[in-house]
């Protein structure tokens, strides 16, 4: 059989076959059926460029790095960990790590070093979806598969630009449209995705809850709800309904800035569709009310019974390739391991499983909370793996100050020159996609094998680094793994501890995963039984609290940030591939022509964009985007000097899409 592997970029999880060091979309694989996108397919070109190839060490970030070795550096780190209060140690992981990498890091931090401050960049990505699913359905579980769009009549894409962020899924949506699927796109920007929509709703940024409430209210008033489902499978409908009906429809509509006609078209589509999927990403999750927005979506599916049948349901689209796997392993500081929350009984089970008496007993700091602690001088060691927090966290100037306050910052990266590297004392090289092996889970619970097809040349994969550190700390037995398969199999055993064994990854087989994917949790909500206390789905009345930063006379524009098709975040891999740079420039700002004219700015001109927190320079592009709203892609490496660091109170996910800025000609 030909060698196969899975893409290391987005959550679609396309499978490739590998021939002569070239990748080709694998036919007959459910996620991509032979398709792939430009950045996915060009990944072999970044295996040998811009690589971090040796360990480096310096005592102060003012000094230059000297070369070191894994052994030397890890011994230093182990010694410093032994001398540090575990409460002052943080692990900052990534939704791009494989399950095995996550598993070993999580075991080391929570099980042996004894710090629960082990979180991941997925906090900035889908933490709101996790909390939303758990509140509504009792478990972090995506109850829809991508192939469901083939049985679906209406797909609502809200705050998701799949044409650039989930390219292959977007192509599959287009195919389904040819067979009758209708697509509504709800976004303050007329995105590439909006271009192929059947209906585009240019709602005002931050008003999604108003729109969803208006829809739910009308559905209830006009009887387009599923009474049987509500009665038998949901909690708290009467309270939800009473509060919802007390809202004023005109006020809701006015808030969204949509016209009555636009809303009626949406309503018609909704009420005329048998099967409905709502899919969302960062336009919903990255918000001070990110959890509430998720709940508002889930509510809609509960009251209409649009869930647990083919072609329907609330589908959170995961961004990173293994953000789902990270959630399952327990990479978020708010989970212990294998979907287990912190409780005495769960801690006992996990202590027994890991044979440890140092297990943490309560949830730890989330990503930005670690930064806040560091800012206050209360973090002694931060180990960062497979992510670039200086680049990706909001209010960058504050994050920079925080990292400067940490006596030991360790960065594990496969590539050179991350934005975080200037703040690191120790850098450790890891092997990237192409040289590492293990498993990952895509956005619809598909577990697949990642295969190494190039030599590691003496370098280690992320989990091997954490295991070596574990051994230097004296935990010989617990970290004595010989290969990725052994790590996976221990993780598999552990999934038996998950509640009712719902995380049935223990049934998969490492060897066969190389060619046959495994979908975990199929039929978890069979017969509409959810995983809440009484097995019914919870309804929550939600209101738009308008808590985000507001525009002002001085900062009159609302800034949105997001993806471009051919770039992957910092571009440590994609910006090395010449052909990917042709599609769009990296440092632009989208603004509508009228707003630009009022500032006397023309297309192609360079402008200074500032918020109260910082500034950057970008090139102007005219775009169809709402009045007084602008967009800067996250390929602009400085984007987070501008963004606000408000967090959702429950998910702790940042409010990236609502920062007030001003624009000046330079
Ligand atoms: N090419 C490429 N693909 C990627 C990535 C990448 O870096 N490059 N990253 C991956 C990752 S980690 C992620 S998380 C996903 C993200 O996938 P997406 O979330 O689909 O990507 P974004 O570009 O962030 O799109 C968010 C959309 O939300 C809109 N939006 C902003 N505010 C609001 C609002 O208040 N309401 C509504 N309704 N919409 C709003 C924005 O205009 C934008 O179009 O992409 C993944 N795929
Ligand atoms: N303004 C704004 N900010 C955002 C967002 C936004 O929409 N707007 N989105 C947020 C979201 S959703 C996300 S997911 C984050 C993403 O932000 P980051 O995670 O910081 O971005 P990446 O560039 O993907 O960082 C991955 C890092 O891993 C390194 N790497 C690659 N392969 C390997 C490997 O195998 N091992 C190791 N150890 N390192 C490797 C790369 O060189 C790179 O430095 O950004 C967040 N920040
Ligand atoms: S759509 Fe996503 S998973 Fe598929 S090839 Fe492109 S980046 Fe990779
Ligand atoms: Mo993400």
């Amino acid at each position: 059989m030909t060698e196969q592997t899975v893409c290391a970029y987005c959550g679609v999880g396309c499978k490739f076959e590998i021939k002569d060091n070239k990748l080709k979309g694998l036919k007959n694989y459910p996620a991509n059926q032979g398709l792939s996108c430009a950045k996915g397919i060009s990944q072999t070109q970044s295996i040998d460029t811009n690589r971090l190839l040796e360990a480096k060490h310096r005592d102060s970030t003012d000094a230059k790095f000297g070369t070191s070795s894994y052994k030397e550096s890890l011994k230093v780190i182990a010694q410093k960990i032994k001398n540090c209060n575990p409460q002052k140690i943080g692990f900052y992981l990534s939704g791009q790590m494989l399950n095995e990498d996550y598993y070993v890091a999580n075991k080391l931090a929570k099980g042996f070093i004894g710090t629960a401050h082990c979180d991941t960049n997925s906090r900035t990505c889908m933490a709101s979806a996790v909390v939303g699913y758990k509140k509504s359905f009792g478990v972090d579980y995506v109850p829809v598969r991508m192939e469901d769009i083939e049985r679906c009549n209406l797909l609502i894409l809200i705050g998701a630009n799949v044409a650039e962020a989930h390219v292959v899924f977007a192509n599959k949506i287009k195919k389904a449209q040819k067979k009758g699927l209708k697509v509504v796109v709800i976004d303050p920007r007329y995105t590439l995705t909006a271009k192929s929509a059947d209906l585009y709703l240019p709602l005002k940024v931050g008003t999604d809850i108003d729109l969803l409430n208006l829809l739910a209210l009308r559905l209830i008033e006009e009887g387009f709800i599923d009474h049987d489902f509500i009665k038998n499978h949901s909690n708290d409908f009467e309270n939800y309904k009473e509060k919802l009906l007390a809202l004023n429809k005109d006020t809701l509509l006015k808030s969204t800035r949509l016209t009555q006609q636009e809303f009626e078209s949406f309503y018609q589509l909704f009420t005329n569709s048998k099967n409905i999927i709502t899919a969302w990403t960062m336009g919903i999750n990255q918000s001070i009310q990110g959890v509430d927005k998720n709940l508002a979506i889930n509510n809609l599916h509960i009251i209409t019974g649009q869930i647990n049948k083919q072609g329907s349901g609330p589908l959170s689209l995961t961004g990173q390739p293994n953000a789902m796997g990270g959630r399952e392993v327990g990479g978020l500081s708010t989970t212990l391991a294998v979907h287990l929350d912190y409780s005495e009984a769960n801690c006992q089970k996990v202590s027994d499983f890991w044979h440890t008496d140092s297990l943490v007993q309560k949830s730890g700091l989330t990503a930005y909370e670690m930064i806040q602690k560091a800012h206050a001088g209360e973090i002694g060691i931060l180990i960062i793996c497979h992510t670039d927090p200086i680049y990706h966290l909001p209010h960058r100037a504050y994050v920079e100050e925080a990292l400067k306050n940490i006596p030991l910052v360790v960065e594990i990266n496969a590539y050179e020159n991350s934005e975080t590297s200037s703040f690191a004392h120790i850098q450790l090289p890891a092997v990237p996609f192409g040289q590492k092996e293990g498993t990952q889970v895509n956005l619809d619970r598909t577990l697949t094998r990642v295969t190494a097809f190039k030599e590691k040349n003496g370098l280690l994969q992320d989990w091997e680094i954490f295991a070596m550190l574990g051994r230097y700390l004296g935990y010989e037995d617990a970290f004595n793994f010989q290969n990725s398969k052994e790590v996976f199999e221990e993780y598999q055993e552990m999934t038996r501890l998950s509640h009712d064994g719902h995380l049935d990854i223990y049934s998969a087989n490492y060897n066969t995963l190389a060619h046959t994917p495994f979908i975990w949790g199929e039929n978890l909500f069979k017969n509409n039984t959810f995983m809440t206390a009484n097995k019914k789905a919870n309804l929550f009345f939600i209101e738009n609290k308008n808590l985000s930063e507001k525009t002002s006379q001085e900062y009159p524009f609302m800034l949105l940030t997001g993806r471009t098709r051919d770039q992957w975040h910092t571009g440590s891999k994609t910006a090395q591939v010449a052909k990917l740079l042709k599609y769009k420039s990296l440092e632009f700002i989208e603004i509508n022509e009228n707003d630009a004219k009022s500032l006397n700015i023309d297309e192609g001109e360079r402008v200074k964009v500032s918020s109260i927190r910082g500034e950057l320079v970008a090139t102007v592009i005219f775009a169809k985007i709402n009045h007084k709203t602008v967009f800067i892609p996250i390929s602009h490496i400085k984007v987070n000097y501008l963004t606000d660091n408000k967090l959702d109170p429950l998910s702790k996910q940042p409010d990236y899409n609502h920062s007030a800025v001003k624009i000046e000609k330079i």
Side-chain angles (χ1 to χ4, degrees), residues 10 39 125 158-162 164-166 186-189 191 203 205-206 208 281-283 319-320 560-569 634 657-658:
C10 86
K39 67 183 175 307
C125 188
I158 181 162
N161 183 11
V162 286
E164 307 218 43
H166 294 95
I186 306 172
D187 198 306
R189 260 185 338 131
T191 57
L203 99 166
V205 55
D208 302 81
T281 321
M282 295 308 115
Q320 300 178 94
L560 315 177
T561 61
R563 276 87 194 146
T564 52
R565 193 191 65 194
D566 291 352
Q567 288 307 317
W568 183 259
H569 305 142
I634 58 170
N657 281 311
H658 312 90

Side-chain angles (χ1 to χ4, degrees), residues 94 96 121-122 124-126 282 286 320 385-389 391-394 411-416 418 428 430-433 436 462 561-563 568-573 634 639-640 643 653 656-657:
S94 165
Q96 298 170 50
N121 64 358
S122 299
T124 67
C125 188
M126 22 62 17
M282 295 308 115
Q286 289 175 338
Q320 300 178 94
C385 181
H386 208 325
T387 182
D388 196 351
Y391 149 78
H392 78 243
L393 288 173
E411 189 201 22
I412 307 173
N413 204 316
Y415 294 87
E416 286 274 21
S418 73
L428 296 169
V431 288
F433 168 87
K436 65 179 175 183
D462 291 315
T561 61
R563 276 87 194 146
W568 183 259
H569 305 142
T570 48
S572 64
K573 288 168 69 177
I634 58 170
V639 66
N640 283 312
T643 50
Q653 182 158 352
Y656 284 112
N657 281 311

Side-chain angles (χ1 to χ4, degrees), residues 9 242 244 350 353 467 502 614:
Y9 289 131
E242 191 189 323
L244 198 66
V350 171
F353 184 82
H502 75 274

Side-chain angles (χ1 to χ4, degrees), residues 171-186:
N171 287 337
K172 290 170 87 174
I173 293 170
K174 276 192 193 160
K175 261 194 194 163
Q177 278 177 290
K178 287 194 185 128
K179 292 188 190 151
L181 172 73
K182 296 280 180 245
V183 175
V184 177
V185 169
I186 306 172

Side-chain angles (χ1 to χ4, degrees), residues 139 415-416 503 662:
V139 59
Y415 294 87
E416 286 274 21
L503 196 58
K662 67 177 165 194

